[in-house]
């Protein structure tokens, strides 16, 4: 269920334009979830829908790219945009715009190798770049470092317990019986794409069973424990980032075309199936 705290008089249950199909699927997932999602206004809800859609798209684009999987020791980057440090992380060059450096990972992907946590962070930064004003992105992330789960505080990465995930959420598959000779496969950070599919760098786009099967192939001899999905969800701070959003060009939620119920209670509007 979705609860929007704006005045019902300002809530648009129909409009002249609707969301693209990929964003409609995310709105459908939000409304259908057993969790209650609360937003101060329709614009913040729209921003989260769009940013989730951009996370999914960035994941698909990275999966299709020529960037390869490697442990930190063997990581590579384009030296025109990044300085590789002694840990295998990528530090933004001082003479380069953050937006240009993130885009280069997708343009010149053959020059990059990194592990799965860094891949998720790259996806998050790319999605935010597509969703907020470019000048704001360059100001917020002026000192980018891509290394494992190191992220700028303005990205607002948080992990919470939960089993009801949505497209654009990051989820972790744990491999408890990993082969000690390949500890990099002790788990896989993934982005849920929707329709039962996940993207994990080094594995690709797979179902949950496909991710688990790939990890199980990297277990120690005589392993008895299967890989499994942890009930943890990692997200960015959508609410904080929404203040830097690009214009929505008068998009409205297409509620008149979908099988949902829109109701009000006091000053709040509710959407539910």
């Amino acid at each position: 269920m979705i609860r929007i705290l704006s005045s019902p008089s300002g809530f648009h249950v129909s409009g002249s334009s609707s969301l693209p199909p990929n964003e409609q699927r995310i709105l459908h997932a939000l409304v259908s979830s057993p969790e209650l999602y609360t937003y101060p206004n329709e614009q913040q809800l729209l921003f989260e829908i769009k940013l989730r859609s951009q996370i999914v798209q960035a994941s698909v684009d990275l999966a299709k790219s020529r960037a390869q999987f490697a442990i930190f020791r063997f990581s590579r980057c384009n030296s025109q945009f990044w300085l590789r440090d002694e840990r295998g992380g990528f530090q933004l060059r001082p003479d380069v715009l953050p937006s240009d450096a993130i885009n280069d990972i997708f343009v010149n992907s053959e020059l990059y190798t990194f592990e799965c946590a860094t891949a998720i962070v790259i996806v998050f930064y790319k999605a935010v770049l597509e969703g907020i004003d470019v000048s704001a992105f360059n100001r917020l992330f002026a000192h980018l470092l891509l290394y494992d789960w190191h992220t700028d505080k303005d990205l607002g990465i948080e992990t919470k317990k939960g089993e009801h995930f949505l497209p654009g959420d990051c989820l972790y598959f744990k491999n408890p019986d990993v082969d000690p000779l390949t500890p990099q496969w002790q788990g896989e950070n993934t982005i849920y794409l929707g329709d039962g599919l996940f993207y994990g760098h080094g594995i690709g786009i797979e179902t949950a069973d496909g991710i688990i099967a790939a990890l199980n192939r990297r277990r120690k001899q005589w392993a008895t424990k299967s890989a499994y999905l942890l009930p943890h969800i990692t997200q960015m701070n959508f609410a904080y980032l929404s203040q830097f959003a690009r214009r929505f060009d008068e998009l409205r939620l297409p509620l008149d075309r979908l099988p949902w119920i829109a109701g009000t209670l006091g000053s709040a509007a509710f959407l539910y199936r």
Side-chain angles (χ1 to χ4, degrees):
M1 180 189 295
I2 295 174
R3 176 174 60 190
I4 301 175
L5 300 178
S6 59
S7 170
S9 62
F11 185 69
H12 300 273
V13 296
S14 63
S16 58
S17 57
S18 64
L19 302 178
N22 56 329
E23 294 177 14
Q24 287 189 30
R25 286 194 291 271
I26 293 171
L27 177 57
H28 181 277
L30 280 163
V31 173
S32 302
S33 173
E35 302 285 339
L36 173 63
Y37 296 90
T38 300
Y39 303 88
N41 51 57
E42 183 182 348
Q43 287 67 39
Q44 196 170 105
L45 169 58
L46 278 169
F47 177 79
E48 179 172 331
I49 291 170
K50 289 180 174 296
L51 192 51
R52 285 182 176 277
S53 176
Q54 286 151 352
I55 293 170
V56 170
Q57 186 59 57
S59 300
V60 172
D61 291 343
L62 195 56
K64 292 179 178 179
S65 78
R66 290 167 288 179
Q68 297 181 354
F69 177 90
I71 59 175
F72 293 112
R73 181 181 174 186
F74 300 113
S75 67
R76 292 188 303 117
C77 58
N78 186 347
S79 60
Q80 294 184 21
F81 293 85
W82 305 92
L83 298 171
R84 184 183 181 277
D85 65 23
E86 68 281 358
R87 300 169 298 178
F90 308 153
Q91 179 69 60
L92 181 71
R93 294 185 65 95
D95 56 341
V96 170
L97 290 174
S99 56
D100 291 340
I102 290 297
N103 280 329
D104 185 69
I105 298 172
F106 293 81
V107 174
N108 295 304
S109 56
E110 70 278 3
L111 301 179
Y112 292 85
T113 61
F114 41 78
E115 45 64 66
C116 65
T118 302
I120 300 299
V121 172
I122 289 169
V123 163
F124 281 162
Y125 279 124
K126 175 63 171 175
V128 173
L129 174 57
E130 297 300 321
I132 72 173
D133 181 76
V134 175
S135 61
F137 183 91
N138 289 330
R139 183 176 69 255
L140 291 172
F141 307 117
H143 305 288
L144 272 181
L145 170 63
L146 302 179
Y147 174 70
D148 199 19
W149 274 108
H150 175 92
T151 58
D152 191 285
K153 62 180 177 59
D154 286 294
L155 209 56
I157 295 292
E158 294 181 345
T159 298
K160 62 181 182 181
K161 289 187 176 181
E163 298 180 350
H164 302 291
F165 46 86
L166 301 168
D169 282 340
C170 173
L171 303 157
Y172 187 71
F173 289 81
K174 184 175 178 60
N175 191 10
D177 271 355
V178 64
D179 186 336
L181 297 179
T182 55
Q184 64 269 28
W185 295 109
Q186 63 187 294
E188 182 76 352
N189 292 286
T190 68
I191 294 291
Y192 180 57
L193 306 179
D195 298 325
L197 295 175
F198 300 79
Y199 162 66
H201 186 58
I203 292 179
I205 295 176
E206 289 283 355
T207 63
D209 288 344
I211 298 287
I212 289 170
L215 290 174
N216 283 346
R217 289 193 290 271
R218 278 94 172 183
R219 289 182 297 173
K220 62 187 177 183
Q221 191 175 18
W222 316 119
T224 59
K225 297 178 182 177
S226 172
Y228 61 94
L229 176 62
L230 280 178
H232 296 158
I233 299 170
T234 299
Q235 300 171 336
M236 291 183 289
N237 190 333
F238 297 109
Y240 171 75
L241 291 168
S242 67
Q243 65 185 298
F244 309 107
R246 296 179 179 179
R247 293 176 59 90
F248 293 132
D249 298 325
E250 303 304 320
L251 277 175
R252 295 290 181 260
L253 298 176
L255 306 180
D256 56 329
R257 305 180 186 180
L258 297 170
W260 302 334
I261 299 171
T264 61
L265 180 62
S267 61
F270 292 82
L271 306 179
Y272 54 95
R273 288 180 62 85

Coordinates of all heavy atoms in Angstrom, one line a residue, residues 12 14 43 52 70 82 98 104 108 119 130 137 144 148 159 162 195 202 220-221 231-232 240-241 249 253:
H12 N -3.5 13.8 -8.0 CA -4.0 13.6 -9.3 C -4.3 12.1 -9.6 O -3.4 11.4 -9.7 CB -3.0 14.1 -10.4 CG -2.7 15.6 -10.2 ND1 -3.5 16.6 -10.8 CD2 -1.8 16.2 -9.5 CE1 -3.0 17.8 -10.5 NE2 -1.9 17.6 -9.7
S14 N -5.9 11.0 -12.1 CA -5.8 10.8 -13.6 C -5.1 12.0 -14.2 O -5.0 13.1 -13.6 CB -7.2 10.7 -14.2 OG -7.9 11.9 -14.1
Q43 N 5.2 14.0 -5.9 CA 6.5 14.2 -6.6 C 7.6 13.3 -6.0 O 8.4 12.7 -6.8 CB 6.9 15.6 -6.5 CG 6.1 16.6 -7.4 CD 4.6 16.7 -6.9 OE1 4.4 16.7 -5.7 NE2 3.7 16.7 -7.9
R52 N 14.3 4.1 -9.2 CA 14.3 2.6 -9.2 C 14.4 2.1 -10.6 O 15.1 1.1 -10.9 CB 13.1 2.0 -8.5 CG 13.1 2.1 -7.0 CD 11.9 1.5 -6.4 NE 11.9 1.5 -4.9 CZ 12.5 0.6 -4.2 NH1 13.2 -0.4 -4.8 NH2 12.5 0.7 -2.9
A70 N 36.7 -9.1 -11.4 CA 38.0 -9.4 -10.9 C 38.0 -9.0 -9.4 O 37.3 -8.1 -9.0 CB 39.1 -8.6 -11.7
W82 N 40.3 8.0 -13.7 CA 40.5 7.5 -12.4 C 41.9 7.2 -12.1 O 42.7 6.8 -13.0 CB 39.7 6.1 -12.2 CG 38.2 6.2 -12.6 CD1 37.7 5.9 -13.8 CD2 37.2 6.6 -11.7 NE1 36.3 6.1 -13.7 CE2 36.0 6.5 -12.5 CE3 37.1 7.0 -10.4 CZ2 34.7 6.8 -11.9 CZ3 35.8 7.3 -9.8 CH2 34.7 7.2 -10.6
P98 N 32.8 14.2 -12.0 CA 32.3 12.9 -11.5 C 31.3 12.3 -12.6 O 31.3 11.1 -12.8 CB 31.6 13.2 -10.2 CG 32.2 14.4 -9.7 CD 32.6 15.2 -10.9
D104 N 32.0 7.1 -18.3 CA 33.0 6.4 -19.0 C 33.0 4.9 -18.7 O 33.4 4.1 -19.6 CB 34.4 7.0 -18.6 CG 35.5 6.4 -19.4 OD1 35.6 6.7 -20.7 OD2 36.3 5.6 -18.9
N108 N 33.5 3.2 -22.1 CA 34.8 2.4 -22.4 C 34.9 1.2 -21.4 O 35.9 1.1 -20.7 CB 36.0 3.4 -22.2 CG 36.0 4.4 -23.3 OD1 36.0 4.2 -24.5 ND2 36.0 5.7 -22.8
A119 N 30.5 -3.0 -8.4 CA 29.5 -2.9 -9.5 C 28.2 -2.4 -9.0 O 27.6 -1.5 -9.7 CB 29.3 -4.3 -10.0
E130 N 21.5 9.9 -13.8 CA 20.4 10.0 -14.7 C 19.1 10.6 -14.1 O 18.3 11.2 -14.8 CB 20.0 8.6 -15.3 CG 21.1 7.9 -16.1 CD 21.6 8.7 -17.3 OE1 20.7 9.4 -17.9 OE2 22.8 8.8 -17.5
F137 N 24.9 16.6 -9.2 CA 25.6 15.3 -9.1 C 27.1 15.7 -8.9 O 27.8 15.1 -8.0 CB 25.4 14.5 -10.3 CG 26.1 13.1 -10.2 CD1 25.5 12.0 -9.7 CD2 27.4 13.0 -10.7 CE1 26.1 10.8 -9.7 CE2 28.0 11.8 -10.7 CZ 27.4 10.7 -10.1
L144 N 34.7 11.3 -5.6 CA 34.3 9.9 -5.8 C 35.5 8.9 -5.6 O 36.6 9.1 -6.1 CB 33.7 9.7 -7.2 CG 32.3 9.9 -7.4 CD1 31.9 9.6 -8.9 CD2 31.4 9.1 -6.5
D148 N 34.8 -1.3 -3.1 CA 33.9 -2.1 -2.3 C 32.6 -1.3 -2.0 O 32.0 -0.8 -2.9 CB 34.6 -2.5 -1.0 CG 34.0 -3.7 -0.3 OD1 33.3 -4.5 -1.0 OD2 34.3 -3.9 0.9
T159 N 21.1 -0.5 4.9 CA 20.6 -1.9 4.8 C 19.6 -2.2 5.9 O 19.9 -1.8 7.0 CB 21.8 -2.9 4.8 OG1 22.7 -2.6 3.7 CG2 21.3 -4.3 4.8
G162 N 14.4 -7.4 5.8 CA 13.1 -7.5 5.0 C 13.1 -8.6 4.0 O 14.2 -8.9 3.4
D195 N 10.3 -9.2 -12.3 CA 10.0 -10.4 -13.0 C 10.9 -11.6 -12.6 O 11.2 -12.4 -13.4 CB 10.1 -10.2 -14.5 CG 9.1 -9.1 -15.0 OD1 8.0 -9.0 -14.4 OD2 9.4 -8.3 -15.9
G202 N 29.7 -10.6 -12.6 CA 30.4 -11.8 -12.7 C 29.6 -13.0 -12.9 O 30.1 -14.1 -13.3
K220 N 33.3 -25.5 -1.6 CA 34.4 -26.4 -1.3 C 33.9 -27.9 -1.5 O 32.7 -28.2 -1.6 CB 34.8 -26.2 0.2 CG 33.7 -26.5 1.2 CD 34.2 -26.2 2.6 CE 33.1 -26.4 3.6 NZ 33.5 -26.0 5.0
Q221 N 34.9 -28.8 -1.6 CA 34.6 -30.2 -1.8 C 33.8 -30.7 -0.6 O 34.0 -30.3 0.5 CB 35.9 -31.0 -1.9 CG 35.7 -32.4 -2.4 CD 37.0 -33.1 -2.7 OE1 38.1 -32.7 -2.2 NE2 37.0 -34.2 -3.4
P231 N 17.8 -12.2 4.0 CA 16.6 -11.4 4.1 C 17.0 -9.9 4.5 O 16.5 -9.4 5.5 CB 15.8 -12.0 5.3 CG 16.8 -12.6 6.1 CD 17.9 -13.1 5.2
H232 N 17.9 -9.4 3.7 CA 18.4 -8.0 3.9 C 18.2 -7.2 2.6 O 18.4 -7.8 1.5 CB 19.8 -8.0 4.3 CG 20.1 -8.6 5.6 ND1 21.3 -9.1 6.0 CD2 19.3 -8.9 6.7 CE1 21.3 -9.6 7.2 NE2 20.0 -9.5 7.6
Y240 N 16.0 11.8 0.4 CA 17.0 12.9 0.4 C 17.4 13.3 -1.0 O 17.5 14.5 -1.3 CB 18.3 12.4 1.2 CG 19.4 13.3 1.0 CD1 19.5 14.5 1.7 CD2 20.5 13.0 0.2 CE1 20.6 15.4 1.6 CE2 21.6 13.9 0.1 CZ 21.6 15.1 0.8 OH 22.7 15.9 0.6
L241 N 17.6 12.3 -1.9 CA 18.1 12.6 -3.2 C 17.0 13.3 -4.1 O 17.3 14.0 -5.0 CB 18.5 11.3 -3.9 CG 19.8 10.7 -3.4 CD1 20.0 9.3 -3.9 CD2 21.0 11.6 -3.7
D249 N 8.1 17.1 -15.9 CA 7.3 17.5 -17.1 C 5.8 17.1 -17.0 O 5.2 16.6 -17.9 CB 7.9 16.9 -18.4 CG 9.3 17.4 -18.6 OD1 9.6 18.6 -18.3 OD2 10.1 16.6 -19.1
L253 N 0.4 10.2 -12.0 CA 0.2 8.7 -11.8 C -1.0 8.3 -12.6 O -2.1 8.9 -12.5 CB 0.0 8.5 -10.4 CG 1.2 8.8 -9.5 CD1 0.8 8.6 -8.0 CD2 2.5 8.1 -9.8

